[in-house]
Amino acid sequence: MSIVLASLAAGAATLAAPATPADPQAARDLVRRCEGKESFSDPAPPARIFGNVWYVGTCNVTVLLVTGPAGHILVDAATEEAVPSILDNIRAAGFEPKDVRWIVSSHEHFDHVGGLAALARATGARVAATRAAAKVIRSGKVSPADPQAQEIHGSRPARVDRLIDTGDVVRAGPLALTAFATPGHTEGSTSWHWKSCDGADCRTVTYVDSVTALPLGTYRFADHPERVAMFRNTFAQVEALECGILLTPHPSASAMFERMSAERRLDEPGACKALAAGARDRLEKALAQ
């Protein structure tokens, strides 16, 4: 395990008192308005998750606004079609899009970076990504090595202003988001962690990228041992984390809306272990098939 992940595992032990969702009613309204919606671009209302972390994405794709006194950071960009609703959500939450300083991403599929070019243009924010992700983001073309390459389309090319590696920190004043690579779903898959506070209650927030082994077309994981090794290394990293408040690029992957609505604990103990275990099981089933 890298030094940055070892530090996260050791320093984010779950507190005895559960973290309190910031606005359960707003989250329940989000769920109600998204009922039956299946598109990646269906607009959803904003909802504050905890402290300075807001959900400003769509019904099925997470976009996070992490706010600060010296500017904000957006995590992920959803689809190009979703950009107007994301900008509306930032404003509805009480913030100005022009105050977004950085946009970072989870992985380089169109449903997470399709809106990147338009959001960067609308906000004036800079974009940070790993080298593997930047290659796809800049070209707009899906990597031919991607397990979904045969059936997934690309996205509008976007600029990348800063190349990052595991342990690098993206800052906006006191905001500090630390990246760690979690490849498998794509070569550039990137997860993030940071501290957020609700008054004196400060928690680790961990945004774990998609860890799903999803082959499309004729792709078979059994033919690609290097991809299987990527996944298994990522699973080991993720399950070692005490992730605090777990957030994911698709809310359904970690029951985010249920936890935001206070139907379940926001900072469920063992959440990262459970996420990795489910992903490992899916990979083993794909290998067996």
Side-chain angles (χ1 to χ4, degrees):
M1 186 187 300
S2 68
I3 293 174
V4 66
L5 294 183
S7 175
L8 178 56
T14 304
L15 301 180
T20 303
D23 194 343
Q25 185 53 53
R28 287 192 283 270
D29 182 53
L30 188 162
V31 171
R32 179 183 59 79
R33 290 176 58 178
C34 287
E35 187 174 357
K37 303 290 181 63
E38 297 182 357
S39 166
F40 289 145
S41 304
D42 285 324
R48 190 159 69 98
I49 300 172
F50 179 86
N52 62 338
V53 183
W54 290 78
Y55 189 92
V56 294
T58 72
C59 287
N60 295 294
V61 179
T62 300
V63 179
L64 300 177
L65 177 69
V66 187
T67 66
H72 320 311
I73 298 176
L74 270 180
V75 185
D76 270 334
T79 63
E80 186 172 10
E81 295 77 11
V83 168
S85 69
I86 294 169
L87 295 171
D88 287 345
N89 281 347
I90 293 172
R91 297 186 188 98
F95 304 98
E96 289 298 325
K98 290 293 186 182
D99 290 331
V100 176
R101 301 289 179 253
W102 285 98
I103 307 174
V104 301
S105 62
S106 55
H107 66 270
E108 60 277 22
H109 281 162
F110 77 95
D111 48 330
H112 305 285
V113 299
L116 197 51
L119 278 174
R121 186 167 56 250
T123 62
R126 291 180 288 172
V127 176
T130 65
R131 286 167 176 77
K135 184 177 180 179
V136 174
I137 290 169
R138 286 167 169 165
S139 71
K141 298 177 181 178
V142 180
S143 167
D146 193 311
Q148 300 181 49
Q150 293 179 32
E151 296 187 14
I152 195 171
H153 63 75
S155 57
R156 191 177 300 278
R159 74 175 191 273
V160 176
D161 303 285
R162 178 184 170 190
L163 297 176
I164 56 171
D165 295 304
T166 290
D168 286 345
V169 180
V170 175
R171 299 182 185 274
L175 298 183
L177 276 61
T178 301
F180 58 103
T182 48
H185 192 71
T186 68
E187 293 101 312
S189 287
T190 308
S191 298
W192 298 86
H193 68 89
W194 63 92
K195 289 285 187 184
S196 286
C197 298
D198 185 2
D201 184 9
C202 294
R203 308 283 177 141
T204 293
V205 179
T206 309
Y207 188 66
V208 177
D209 188 26
S210 298
V211 289
T212 305
L214 180 60
L216 295 181
T218 60
Y219 189 99
R220 295 189 339 135
F221 284 111
D223 297 332
H224 299 276
E226 74 292 343
R227 181 68 61 161
V228 173
M230 276 187 198
F231 270 116
R232 287 180 171 156
N233 182 61
T234 287
F235 298 158
Q237 291 188 68
V238 172
E239 69 184 356
L241 302 177
E242 291 291 347
C243 52
I245 297 172
L246 171 64
L247 305 177
T248 49
H250 291 286
S252 59
S254 60
M256 269 179 58
F257 290 164
E258 291 88 341
R259 291 183 291 115
M260 290 166 57
S261 303
E263 295 175 11
R264 292 168 54 171
R265 180 167 167 166
L266 184 61
D267 55 337
E268 290 183 338
C272 276
K273 290 181 176 63
L275 184 70
R280 181 181 286 108
D281 181 64
R282 180 160 188 163
L283 174 62
E284 295 305 327
K285 288 178 179 176
L287 285 167
Q289 291 170 357

